[in-house]
Amino acid sequence: MEEEPSSQSASSNDTPRHAEPPKQTTMPSQDPQNPEQPAEPKPPSKLKRLWTKLGLDPMTLKLMLKGSIPPTIAIAMYQSQAVAAQYSTIGFLVAITSILGFAIMPRGKFLQTMSLNILATGLAAAVNLLALYCITQARLHTTPAGQPLSGYNSSASVVCAVWLCVQIFSVNALRAARPQFQFPAIIYSIFASVTCTTAVQFPNMAAAISFMQKLLEAFLTGFALATGTNLFIFPTSARSVVFKEMTGYLMCLSGMLKAQTAYMQSMETIDPIALRHQREEEQRESEQDGTKKKARKPAVPLSSPLATPASLKLKELLGKTVELHTKLHGDVTPAKREFAIGKLESHDLTELWKMLRMVFIPVTGLSASMDLIQRLAADLHWADKGSTEQDEQIRHEAVENLHFLMKELHTPFAHMTASIDAAIMHVLITLELVPAPKKTADEESKGDQPVPGSSTFAETYQKQVNDFYHSKSITLSDWCREHDIDLPHDFFDSTFIKPEHLLIRDEHKRERYQRQLFFTLYLEYLSWRAGSAVLDLVLWADKRKQEGALKRNKLIFPGSKTLYKWFWAVFGREDFSKDGSYLAEMDSGGSEATYLGEDFMRRKDPEHLPPRNAFERVGESVRKLPRFFRSDESAFGFRVVCATM
């Protein structure tokens, strides 16, 4: 891995990036007179291709095995006579609650959820004991004297139905209002449903208390199985999950930059008309071959005139990166709350996640260039020949300008991408997220290229970022020379006063040139901004290493502020702020970016003024009742009641 940036830089300097050397290197292998040539690699077996298609990795298999262990133990131990006699006919609930314990969750999130599950079970036992008392009293007061208390009793059934409806409605309305109570609400609903559907058979409180004791033991036994599995079988902490996600996140960002460079390379010699003809021919052949089976869907959509395999790969990486970004946004907070043994503390996770988001923004902004180019090509009909000679000339000139821009940007982007890739590897090695590569014997072959993990890497990388920033003047000079614009020799050192001879009289031509120039400078700025954000990450990692934070493991306690937020997040709304959330900005279109003060955060009621005395405040409290029953949470609870009954 240490020599990877060097090889990329050498290839960009010695040979053009748009050449195809792999096709030439495979030809000598076909010469039978040269047995020393390596043979072509064997194609993978069907089993390996199937395994790759499924996308299963060892971690996923461990989670699948871990999730199946608690119910398997619950069913297996029920084969014992002692266990069957202890749990009677409700032993199946042990397996159900062991699954609902979600033993596959990380340790910190599991312990929080399990604590809420136990509280919900205890509350359900207490409330349903009161319900059983009301049911048995209804049976006692409506049974004629001298008649047995067993058998069907309509009054007891009605009371039982009322208790069941009220409990199911209340707990599911709470579940809709507070998502962190989702699993406790499910467990409470199961407890109430089993109790109220069986309660009509109890003649007195002695039988009801005996049943409640067995039911409580069954639920707690399932929780115990889930807890033991989570803590002792493939134990996983929230911090380890976050560190693995951050490693994959950085790898995805680096892969997006490489895919962006490959996309620029594919745009250097692209011919939209030839590409459209090629796709139409492929689609025609696939339709002819699909007489007996369904026609195969084309790999590249026909609606995109400049869509190439490189652009499809870039979109795929963008989707994976956004998905991982969203997952990290929800997993970092539980990791900060966890008591663990490690090196990086809770505030380190906060700083690291903040800097990762700063890298994410310009990298995803670079991918937007693909949409800009494709939208421009679709609007100007680059894939169609012009109806007149002038239209064809304009189309040809626009395509040639695209080729020129991509060729000019490709080389600096390739160098910057290689540098950022090495910097990301340096961060991963410094923070010990990936093992350091083994040192090779030939250290002189590296030359001046930075070595990820070394103490002098940050200084070398900072020089590369600064050189890229100053190289923008070279790109601008080449662009002006291509468009017959003569710049003064002191143009970049002078003031912002525009020289008179640079004024373009043709308004349409000036607007077209401005679009091209601004697009070029925009891409270069985003690339430099991504390199600067990675530089901040490199400097922070080196700083934490110099401060001794990565020398040895230590017992890590979350801060008082984190614990305070954790406590209130259990019973209130989760404290996942929308600041810096990429998906929140996409959904809202940036409408929540402006903060207008606390007074504007509350929704005003134009039909009611704020209360001014105690009587009006009591009236405001009464209005909360109909407001609750017309809320979405109340509607959800009512739907669950209808489904339950």
Side-chain angles (χ1 to χ4, degrees), residues 66 100-120 180-181 183-184 187 223-232 235-239 334-335 337-341 556 558 563 566 570-571 574:
K66 187 175 182 178
L100 293 176
F102 282 89
I104 63 175
M105 288 194 298
R107 183 172 57 242
K109 191 180 296 186
F110 172 81
L111 293 178
Q112 175 182 342
T113 305
M114 183 55 65
S115 301
L116 294 176
N117 290 344
I118 294 175
L119 289 176
Q180 64 268 28
F181 291 141
F183 300 129
I187 291 171
F223 293 155
L225 292 176
T227 303
T229 303
N230 179 271
L231 298 180
F232 300 108
T236 305
S237 64
R239 292 169 59 88
R337 298 169 178 171
E338 193 174 50
F339 293 83
I341 297 177
I556 297 174
L563 292 176
W566 187 7
V570 171
F571 303 101
E574 277 285 7

Side-chain angles (χ1 to χ4, degrees), residues 135-418:
I135 294 169
T136 54
Q137 288 298 312
R139 176 185 293 274
L140 179 63
H141 288 82
T142 56
T143 302
Q147 296 293 330
L149 296 177
S150 59
Y152 174 76
N153 187 281
S154 60
S155 299
S157 299
V158 170
V159 173
C160 185
V162 171
W163 273 99
L164 178 61
C165 291
V166 171
Q167 290 187 86
I168 295 297
F169 173 80
S170 302
V171 72
N172 283 280
L174 178 63
R175 171 188 173 186
R178 299 292 184 267
Q180 64 268 28
F181 291 141
Q182 178 180 1
F183 300 129
I186 294 174
I187 291 171
Y188 188 103
S189 300
I190 295 175
F191 199 104
S193 299
V194 173
T195 301
C196 292
T197 53
T198 315
V200 293
Q201 303 175 3
F202 301 144
N204 49 44
M205 280 301 296
I209 292 175
S210 176
F211 172 80
M212 186 61 62
Q213 183 177 357
K214 290 183 179 181
L215 186 60
L216 190 59
E217 289 176 354
F219 271 70
L220 296 180
T221 303
F223 293 155
L225 292 176
T227 303
T229 303
N230 179 271
L231 298 180
F232 300 108
I233 299 178
F234 302 132
T236 305
S237 64
R239 292 169 59 88
S240 63
V241 172
V242 166
F243 286 143
K244 289 182 180 179
E245 291 176 351
M246 286 183 174
T247 303
Y249 187 71
L250 286 171
M251 292 296 187
C252 285
L253 293 176
S254 177
M256 283 189 62
L257 290 174
K258 294 178 182 178
Q260 180 73 26
T261 306
Y263 176 70
M264 289 183 176
Q265 179 183 354
S266 66
M267 292 291 105
E268 292 179 3
T269 57
I270 191 172
D271 186 357
I273 296 179
L275 186 62
R276 179 175 62 85
H277 291 331
Q278 180 183 357
R279 294 177 193 164
E280 291 176 352
E281 184 66 24
E282 291 177 355
Q283 187 182 22
R284 193 179 303 112
E285 292 178 358
S286 63
E287 290 176 353
Q288 292 176 357
D289 296 340
T291 55
K292 295 184 179 180
K293 56 184 179 179
K294 188 176 180 181
R296 184 177 55 184
K297 185 178 180 181
V300 180
L302 298 176
S303 59
S304 303
L306 296 183
T308 60
S311 64
L312 296 180
K313 184 178 180 181
L314 181 58
K315 283 187 176 181
E316 181 182 359
L317 282 174
L318 176 62
K320 292 181 179 179
T321 306
V322 172
E323 181 182 358
L324 198 54
H325 179 91
T326 308
K327 195 172 187 306
L328 262 173
H329 185 69
D331 291 343
V332 168
T333 301
K336 293 190 297 183
R337 298 169 178 171
E338 193 174 50
F339 293 83
I341 297 177
K343 296 180 179 180
L344 294 178
E345 300 182 3
S346 300
H347 62 86
D348 292 329
L349 294 179
T350 304
E351 292 295 327
L352 183 57
W353 174 231
K354 186 183 299 183
M355 287 184 286
L356 288 179
R357 288 181 299 186
M358 297 305 296
V359 180
F360 174 80
I361 295 173
V363 172
T364 52
L366 280 171
S367 64
S369 64
M370 173 179 59
D371 298 329
L372 292 175
I373 295 175
Q374 292 185 359
R375 185 171 60 185
L376 180 63
D379 293 341
L380 299 181
H381 305 285
W382 285 2
D384 301 321
K385 287 188 176 181
S387 57
T388 62
E389 184 178 353
Q390 183 179 4
D391 293 341
E392 177 62 21
Q393 183 180 0
I394 294 175
R395 187 199 68 84
H396 181 72
E397 182 181 355
V399 174
E400 289 297 325
N401 287 332
L402 175 65
H403 294 168
F404 173 77
L405 288 178
M406 294 298 104
K407 290 178 182 178
E408 286 294 320
L409 293 174
H410 177 231
T411 300
F413 265 67
H415 285 291
M416 196 61 195
T417 299

Side-chain angles (χ1 to χ4, degrees), residues 610-618:
R612 293 172 294 180
N613 50 48
F615 182 76
E616 292 181 354
R617 282 191 290 270
V618 172

Side-chain angles (χ1 to χ4, degrees), residues 453-466:
S454 62
S455 58
T456 59
F457 178 84
E459 182 180 357
T460 308
Y461 176 67
Q462 186 173 12
K463 182 178 180 300
Q464 292 176 347
V465 174
N466 294 334

